[in-house]
Amino acid sequence: MALTIMKARLKGAQKGHSLLKKKADALTLRFRLILGKIIETKTLMGEVMKQASLSLAEAKFATGDFNHIVLQNVTKAQTKVRNKRDNVAGVILPIFEHYTDGTDTYELTGLSKGGQQINRLKKNYAKAVELLVELASLQTSFITLDEVIKITNRRVNAIEHVIIPRIENTISHIITELDEQEREEFYRLKKIQGKKKIMRAKAEAEKQKRALEGQDDDVPNLIDDDVDEDLLFES
């Protein structure tokens, strides 16, 4: 009974180890993909921010300082961020997406002068905001996956190097004890058979001794398998 229970536990531990190993492999694959995207996005982010800063300087040179005008007229954000979720092997990853809410308040800005520079400035900074949101999503997923992969690998190692060997040692000990009990039972049966053989030999010797002494040994034995004749009683 104990051996059956331990074998079932070993099978469950091995199955759990296999599933956790597959989960760790899937998370590691996604982790590497995200890492590659982060490197690519950061490289692109540097170029976009360089162009945005340059276009800001061009717009200020063409139209003058317009920061106070923008700040006074801003009422709500035009570019917003919404949160979604992605499930990777049971791990929930937050995904950030940007979207535009409402029309462009400064669509007619720069009609008098510097319109081309201002439009280029808006496009460059819109691209920068888009990359920032994407980079934030990638960085958050990267950190989340890093923590989950560490925990999963610790569990895999614990099952592989601690739990499974412990169960296998227990099963080996149980099998050894069962083998020892079987050997003891076999030895006990052999001893009993030996004693019975000695007793039969003694009984046979006693019988031969009585026969040599001329004693009658024709007394029927009720235990023998010989068929007795029926006894008829007359009334």
Side-chain angles (χ1 to χ4, degrees):
M1 184 65 181
L3 182 61
T4 305
I5 294 174
M6 295 309 298
K7 284 184 177 180
R9 289 183 180 179
L10 177 61
K11 186 176 180 181
Q14 291 173 344
K15 186 175 181 180
H17 176 269
S18 176
L19 293 175
L20 284 176
K21 188 68 175 175
K22 291 179 181 178
K23 178 180 178 180
D25 293 340
L27 293 177
T28 304
L29 180 61
R30 184 63 177 270
F31 181 80
R32 291 174 180 173
L33 291 176
I34 290 177
L35 180 60
K37 288 183 179 180
I38 287 176
I39 296 174
E40 181 182 352
T41 305
K42 282 187 175 181
T43 304
L44 183 60
M45 188 71 193
E47 296 295 328
V48 172
M49 289 302 296
K50 185 191 299 183
Q51 294 177 5
S53 299
L54 182 60
S55 60
L56 177 61
E58 291 176 352
K60 285 185 177 180
F61 180 78
T63 61
D65 189 9
F66 51 85
N67 289 341
H68 62 282
I69 300 175
V70 175
L71 293 175
Q72 288 175 0
N73 294 327
V74 167
T75 56
K76 65 177 182 178
Q78 182 182 357
T79 302
K80 297 182 180 180
V81 178
R82 57 190 168 203
N83 185 15
K84 292 185 177 181
R85 292 183 177 182
D86 187 16
N87 190 338
V88 180
V91 179
I92 303 300
L93 299 179
I95 305 296
F96 303 136
E97 290 184 353
H98 78 286
Y99 66 99
T100 302
D101 185 15
T103 58
D104 188 2
T105 308
Y106 302 97
E107 186 176 359
L108 302 178
T109 304
L111 286 180
S112 58
K113 58 179 180 178
Q116 184 177 1
Q117 286 79 7
I118 290 179
N119 286 331
R120 187 185 302 117
L121 173 65
K122 289 191 293 184
K123 290 179 180 179
N124 288 335
Y125 271 98
K127 181 64 175 176
V129 170
E130 178 182 348
L131 289 176
L132 279 175
V133 173
E134 183 180 356
L135 186 60
S137 177
L138 292 173
Q139 289 282 103
T140 306
S141 300
F142 181 84
I143 295 173
T144 305
L145 282 178
D146 185 43
E147 293 296 326
V148 174
I149 288 173
K150 289 179 181 178
I151 295 173
T152 306
N153 286 333
R154 282 197 294 266
R155 291 177 179 174
V156 170
N157 292 331
I159 293 175
E160 182 178 356
H161 299 291
V162 178
I163 297 177
I164 291 180
R166 186 179 298 171
I167 296 176
E168 288 178 346
N169 290 335
T170 304
I171 291 175
S172 177
H173 177 72
I174 292 174
I175 292 175
T176 303
E177 290 294 325
L178 290 176
D179 290 342
E180 184 67 24
Q181 290 179 4
E182 186 177 354
R183 284 193 295 269
E184 290 178 356
E185 183 68 17
F186 179 75
Y187 178 75
R188 187 180 67 83
L189 292 176
K190 291 291 289 183
K191 292 291 289 183
I192 292 174
Q193 289 177 357
K195 288 183 178 181
K196 287 183 177 181
K197 188 176 181 180
I198 293 172
M199 292 175 64
R200 284 196 298 268
K202 286 183 178 180
E204 188 67 26
E206 187 69 25
K207 183 178 180 180
Q208 291 178 1
K209 183 179 179 181
R210 286 198 302 270
L212 290 175
E213 290 177 354
Q215 295 181 358
D216 248 346
D217 200 11
D218 296 334
V219 181
N221 192 349
L222 297 177
I223 310 176
D224 290 341
D225 294 333
D226 298 337
V227 179
D228 295 336
E229 296 182 357
D230 294 333
L231 298 178
L232 298 178
F233 298 93
E234 296 180 358
S235 55

